[in-house]
Amino acid sequence: MSLFSRTFMMLEQGLDYASLREKVIANNIANVDTPNYKAKEVRFRAELDRALQPLEAKRTNPKHLPFTRPMTNKFLVTSRTNVVYNHNGNNVDIDQEMSYLAENQIYYNALVEQLNGKFTTLKTVIKGGK
Amino acid sequence: MSIFQSLDITASALTAQRLRMDVISSNMANVDTTHARLVNGQWEPYRRKFVVMEPRQEGFSTYLQAAMNSRSSVGNGVKVTKIMEDQTPFKLVYDPSHPDADPNGYVRLPNVDPLKEMVDLMSATRSYEANVTVFNATKGMLMKALEIGK
């Protein structure tokens, strides 16, 4: 039995997601006046794969390469191309981005608090409740 | 992918917006400048300038990795590629007493529209402020990250 439970890994993933999202939001707001810039967003790759139903090829020989490649990262950055707000082809919605920013910040802080809570619990256990 | 990348992205936007404001200041300052550039032995009025922005491109390796599906590209901020001159015609104003008036008494004035410049300035200021907010948010998150395990 490991000392660190799966919760740590999940929280870590959450932090990874939040920091990547922070970068994407920062980039969107940085390009708020750039013509033809399309806003980007972060998606969970697993969810996307499930939605897209990955194509499976029939392999008659074990040496055939599978269609799906091993994915090294869990997140995917995609461009939002279905909406246009500005006449110059830019589709960054500044109000939406600012609210994403606030939301992401709170989410990140909550994750850190949770992580610290887990560490405190571990510390209590190690010290035997002293 | 460094943790300071988002601060870098925001910094690039702040630089770009500040340059935009500088260009607007220059336009406003030269709203009445008739002696700006000597073209074929004749003085030309000041031409309105504006900046051209584009997303800062990542290097080849980023594109390669994105294509190989191992890492998706986030973007790298914004940059100003060039400062262009507005080619719209100059304003013609009848003022025979002006030293730069032509034989018919008309003076060519810069093609700067103060109203347009003010609207642009508002836009640049607001974008700058939005980016400062992003900077503070990122900074707060990084500081919070230092508290992990305390």
Side-chain angles (χ1 to χ4, degrees), chain A residues 32-55:
Chain A
V32 73
D33 292 317
T34 313
N36 294 318
Y37 177 81
K38 299 286 181 265
K40 291 177 180 182
E41 54 196 359
V42 186
R43 284 162 191 265
F44 281 96
R45 190 185 286 275
E47 192 189 320
L48 196 74
D49 282 349
R50 211 181 302 128
L52 291 178
Q53 304 241 331
L55 198 59

Side-chain angles (χ1 to χ4, degrees), chain A residues 3-21:
Chain A
L3 181 62
F4 296 106
S5 60
R6 276 194 63 222
T7 321
F8 275 102
M9 273 152 61
M10 281 158 71
L11 288 171
E12 192 190 316
Q13 259 176 40
L15 286 172
D16 275 348
Y17 169 76
S19 55
L20 178 65
R21 191 143 184 252

Side-chain angles (χ1 to χ4, degrees), chain A residues 15 18-20 22-38 40 45 69-73 75-78 94 97-98 101-102 104-106 108-113 115-116 119-120 123, chain B residues 1-6 9-10 12-13 17 20 53-56 58 67-79 123-124 127 129-131 133-134 136-142 144-145 147-150:
Chain A
L15 286 172
S19 55
L20 178 65
E22 176 72 14
K23 274 172 208 158
V24 170
I25 294 168
N27 197 51
N28 285 345
I29 295 178
N31 283 291
V32 73
D33 292 317
T34 313
N36 294 318
Y37 177 81
K38 299 286 181 265
K40 291 177 180 182
R45 190 185 286 275
R69 276 169 291 181
M71 301 300 180
T72 47
N73 62 339
F75 314 114
L76 191 69
V77 180
T78 53
I94 186 73
E97 295 299 333
M98 293 312 275
L101 181 80
N104 195 46
Q105 206 178 355
I106 293 166
Y108 189 91
N109 287 354
L111 285 173
V112 172
E113 293 292 331
L115 203 53
N116 282 339
F119 276 122
T120 316
K123 221 180 269 175
Chain B
M1 196 150 59
S2 139
I3 53 162
F4 297 112
Q5 200 193 343
S6 38
I9 289 170
T10 308
S12 77
Q17 297 297 342
R20 242 180 105 196
M53 293 164 114
E54 73 173 41
R56 201 155 66 171
E58 298 101 341
M68 301 280 285
N69 236 336
S70 64
R71 207 175 81 182
S72 39
S73 86
V74 177
N76 218 356
V78 66
K79 70 171 176 190
S123 157
S127 301
E129 281 167 3
N131 279 295
T133 310
V134 177
N136 284 332
T138 312
K139 204 177 101 184
M141 278 169 66
L142 292 178
K144 190 79 185 169
E147 286 174 23
I148 295 175
K150 261 192 183 169

Side-chain angles (χ1 to χ4, degrees), chain B residues 23 27 48-52 82-87:
Chain B
V23 168
N27 287 344
R48 174 180 171 262
K49 290 178 175 57
F50 61 96
V51 299
V52 180
K82 53 188 159 188
I83 297 174
M84 298 263 285
E85 289 197 331
D86 194 344
Q87 293 303 322

Side-chain angles (χ1 to χ4, degrees), chain A residues 62-109:
Chain A
K63 283 177 186 167
H64 287 168
L65 290 172
F67 272 13
T68 47
R69 276 169 291 181
M71 301 300 180
T72 47
N73 62 339
K74 290 198 161 52
F75 314 114
L76 191 69
V77 180
T78 53
S79 285
R80 209 181 296 146
T81 48
N82 51 347
V83 279
V84 173
Y85 287 100
N86 267 335
H87 59 275
N88 63 359
N90 184 309
N91 70 351
V92 178
D93 182 352
I94 186 73
D95 302 310
Q96 197 176 33
E97 295 299 333
M98 293 312 275
S99 60
Y100 281 158
L101 181 80
E103 179 206 313
N104 195 46
Q105 206 178 355
I106 293 166
Y107 175 64
Y108 189 91
N109 287 354

